[in-house]
Amino acid sequence: MPTDAVTMDKIVSLCKRRGFIFPASEIYGGIANTYDYGHYGVLLKQNVIAQWWKAMIQERDDVVALDSAIIQHPRTWEASGHLAGFTDPLVDCRTCKKRFRADHLGELECGKRPSKHPGEDAQCDLTESREFNLMFETTIGPVKEAGATVYLRPETAQGIFLDFKQVLQFARRKPPFGIAQVGKSFRNEITPGNFIFRTLEFEQMEMEFFVPPAEAEDWYRHWMQERLDWYVRLGIDPEHLRLRAHDADELSHYSTGTSDIEYLFPYGWSELEGIANRGDFDLSAHAAMAGEKLEYRDPQGGEAYIPHVIEPAAGVGRSMLAFMIDAYAEDEIGGEQRTVLRLHPALAPVKVAVLPLLRKDGHPEKARAVYEQVRRTMNAEYDDGGAIGRRYRRQDEIGTPFAVTIDHQTLEDDTVTLRDRDTLAQERVAVDGLARLLQDKLAVD
Ligand code: GAP
């Protein structure tokens, strides 16, 4: 259970220790809610994204890919409602000079008395709440005053709506069909973020699925199930996932219905991904603002309509966090404690470690040859530093499903020991055909 074995402290410390994820700008003391991804973090992140593309594109015929710009025409955000409505209510404390989300005061700590909430202590002096827009502003042009104010996108979705007409033409698709995109989004979040759960910049995996209006409800249900299944297929315990429909007062300005896929993080149930029924809000709003028709005309009947949109919107960082938390385990081998990430093989940053038992007697040379063989088809790591037990433990901690050990017998009969991360079973297998064997073992779905 993530709530028992794992704490956020353990995950944060593992991420830092093994270089998955660590605070950005650390030499300057860090910067709020901003993290850098190191070697294993990058590999895990790429694997999460690859699995999302696989589910969206490779396994379907009705979704196409897009990579739109981060900075779009500023009227985009007027039409989408983000300029007017993408805000959080904030209060400042005149005593401690800290800023708080007015609607989260009960969960936050007073700047001077962390045992109390802001406003609880007699010394607290909070301002009236005011709306604070979450979009980051910048300027195009060399002179700030003369330049045009533009915004870093707070969601990737709007780029998809702007390109709807183009994609309709070149992709030769008709509703129901989707446009998928993965990319960075930016939000000026001021609430402390629970590690990478809430950050200022983050990657989103979003898909806008355009449907005939009468089919919207069915597709909404379809995408809720599809997305829930995706997390389970990639190893998350179904008991740690739930769907929660938004109450009317929680709905975003564009949505007629939203359900969150929530995950049981160590600090409680929280949103992993949102599935929204956006109706025709966005296409209608951009059509009106740009004076363009953003509709689909049936070539047979000739009837034109504005498609409705079902949107599954996931966060890469949040998914990674959930995959790591769910995979985290501590157990004991031969009286020694180990930490293991039981990641799904498709997500594991390294698929196999190749380890010479000794740093002499021809073991390293043979191990390097085996390593060269397997790395052609999968991400592998060669490690000859330290006792074999420690090397196994290092690989367990980063979630490597298999370890191959080269020993004196290898030099006699060309076999190696294959160790399974989860069962700890060790079998003797031939070097000849090892890469194929590993591929078969890794190809679980
Ligand atoms: N286009 C719809 C949209 O952006 P959202 O619920 O605001 O909806 C979708 O965001 C997903 O993006 C969230 O479920 C979460 O996984 C991720 N996300 C949103 N804000 C985030 C932040 N500040 N840091 C990390 N991930 C975030």
Side-chain angles (χ1 to χ4, degrees):
M1 288 286 291
T3 40
D4 302 341
V6 199
T7 61
M8 283 308 288
D9 284 349
K10 285 183 184 175
I11 291 289
V12 173
S13 129
L14 171 63
C15 283
K16 182 143 199 217
R17 188 166 70 246
R18 301 313 315 274
F20 277 87
I21 304 163
F22 35 86
S25 300
E26 241 193 336
I27 61 166
Y28 290 109
I31 175 164
N33 300 339
T34 307
Y35 292 88
D36 290 342
Y37 288 68
H39 182 69
Y40 298 127
V42 171
L43 297 177
L44 174 55
K45 185 146 73 94
Q46 291 311 320
N47 291 343
V48 170
I49 293 171
Q51 287 303 310
W52 188 84
W53 280 122
K54 182 168 178 258
M56 288 294 164
I57 305 284
Q58 189 181 326
E59 293 172 356
R60 302 184 67 101
D61 296 321
D62 53 3
V63 180
V64 297
L66 180 76
D67 189 354
S68 70
I70 285 174
I71 296 176
Q72 298 282 2
H73 194 287
R75 298 193 83 182
T76 304
W77 311 109
E78 242 177 275
S80 70
H82 284 83
L83 255 183
F86 195 55
T87 55
D88 277 345
L90 294 188
V91 293
D92 289 301
C93 177
R94 297 185 189 92
T95 310
C96 71
K97 312 289 182 220
K98 283 187 81 173
R99 184 166 281 177
F100 305 100
R101 277 272 297 263
D103 52 343
H104 288 186
L105 291 181
E107 304 146 36
L108 300 172
E109 289 177 352
C110 165
K112 293 222 153 168
R113 299 275 304 276
S115 58
K116 296 201 168 189
H117 301 305
E120 264 189 358
D121 193 81
Q123 286 190 15
C124 297
D125 184 8
L126 302 184
T127 61
E128 287 291 305
S129 153
R130 66 189 195 296
E131 292 300 319
F132 170 81
N133 198 296
L134 296 183
M135 285 197 295
F136 282 104
E137 253 180 58
T138 186
T139 319
I140 293 184
V143 184
K144 192 162 197 288
E145 293 71 37
T149 300
V150 289
Y151 303 90
L152 302 188
R153 66 180 176 199
E155 60 172 14
T156 65
Q158 294 305 322
I160 297 178
F161 299 125
L162 302 192
D163 287 344
F164 169 74
K165 216 170 141 181
Q166 304 253 26
V167 176
L168 202 56
Q169 282 162 12
F170 67 65
R172 293 170 47 240
R173 292 291 202 285
K174 60 180 206 163
F177 84 104
I179 306 177
Q181 147 150 268
V182 177
K184 277 220 168 164
S185 293
F186 303 81
R187 295 183 191 177
N188 200 351
E189 307 271 8
I190 62 131
T191 322
N194 267 327
F195 194 36
I196 55 167
F197 180 84
R198 185 175 290 110
T199 48
L200 300 187
E201 55 181 274
F202 51 97
E203 271 171 283
Q204 288 187 306
M205 306 181 284
E206 297 200 290
M207 199 274 294
E208 309 303 317
F209 201 71
F210 300 91
V211 301
E215 295 177 22
E217 196 51 38
D218 283 350
W219 281 109
Y220 179 46
R221 277 198 294 276
H222 169 89
W223 280 108
M224 280 194 267
Q225 195 57 52
E226 280 289 303
R227 295 303 304 145
L228 204 54
D229 292 348
W230 184 79
Y231 292 101
V232 175
R233 268 205 323 270
L234 289 171
I236 294 199
D237 182 342
E239 298 273 301
H240 302 155
L241 291 166
R242 71 178 187 193
L243 268 170
R244 189 185 66 80
H246 280 204
D247 292 333
D249 61 351
E250 274 182 274
L251 289 175
S252 310
H253 57 275
Y254 51 73
S255 169
T256 54
T258 296
S259 291
D260 285 343
I261 296 178
E262 293 190 333
Y263 175 70
L264 185 55
F265 288 92
Y267 45 85
W269 290 100
S270 281
E271 175 188 343
L272 197 52
E273 165 163 358
I275 293 105
N277 183 346
R278 296 180 78 124
D280 64 1
F281 177 88
D282 304 273
L283 289 181
S284 298
H286 289 302
M289 180 70 76
E292 281 263 1
K293 279 196 174 137
L294 297 178
E295 57 188 24
Y296 174 72
R297 184 176 292 279
D298 186 346
Q300 262 91 52
E303 186 205 343
Y305 66 89
I306 301 175
H308 282 205
V309 171
I310 307 302
E311 173 198 68
V316 177
R318 246 180 236 191
S319 307
M320 265 181 77
L321 187 57
F323 286 125
M324 290 180 89
I325 291 170
D326 232 65
Y328 184 97
E330 288 168 358
D331 55 21
E332 227 181 75
I333 316 173
E336 256 193 72
Q337 191 80 8
R338 79 160 176 167
T339 298
V340 53
L341 281 188
R342 299 188 200 279
L343 288 170
H344 187 286
L347 299 181
V350 177
K351 312 300 182 197
V352 60
V354 182
L355 318 170
L357 185 62
L358 303 175
R359 280 170 106 170
K360 56 180 186 178
D361 299 342
H363 293 193
E365 292 76 9
K366 180 66 184 171
R368 286 226 60 109
V370 171
Y371 170 61
E372 293 301 336
Q373 186 199 102
V374 292
R375 80 194 296 201
R376 281 193 214 125
T377 48
M378 69 194 64
N379 208 17
E381 199 167 274
Y382 175 87
D383 184 5
D384 63 7
I388 191 75
R390 273 193 59 201
R391 280 182 273 161
Y392 283 146
R393 229 96 61 227
R394 275 209 291 267
Q395 295 297 332
D396 290 342
E397 230 183 20
I398 61 164
T400 307
F402 296 105
V404 163
T405 307
I406 280 74
D407 54 20
H408 64 278
Q409 193 181 329
T410 312
L411 305 177
E412 286 164 15
D413 63 5
D414 213 29
T415 62
V416 290
T417 309
L418 182 61
R419 173 187 183 266
D420 183 304
R421 173 197 71 196
D422 298 334
T423 63
L424 295 174
Q426 304 210 10
E427 55 178 322
R428 202 83 210 170
V429 300
V431 170
D432 187 27
L434 176 64
R436 170 51 57 91
L437 177 73
L438 284 167
Q439 274 164 25
D440 289 348
K441 284 180 178 284
L442 289 164
V444 291
D445 200 81

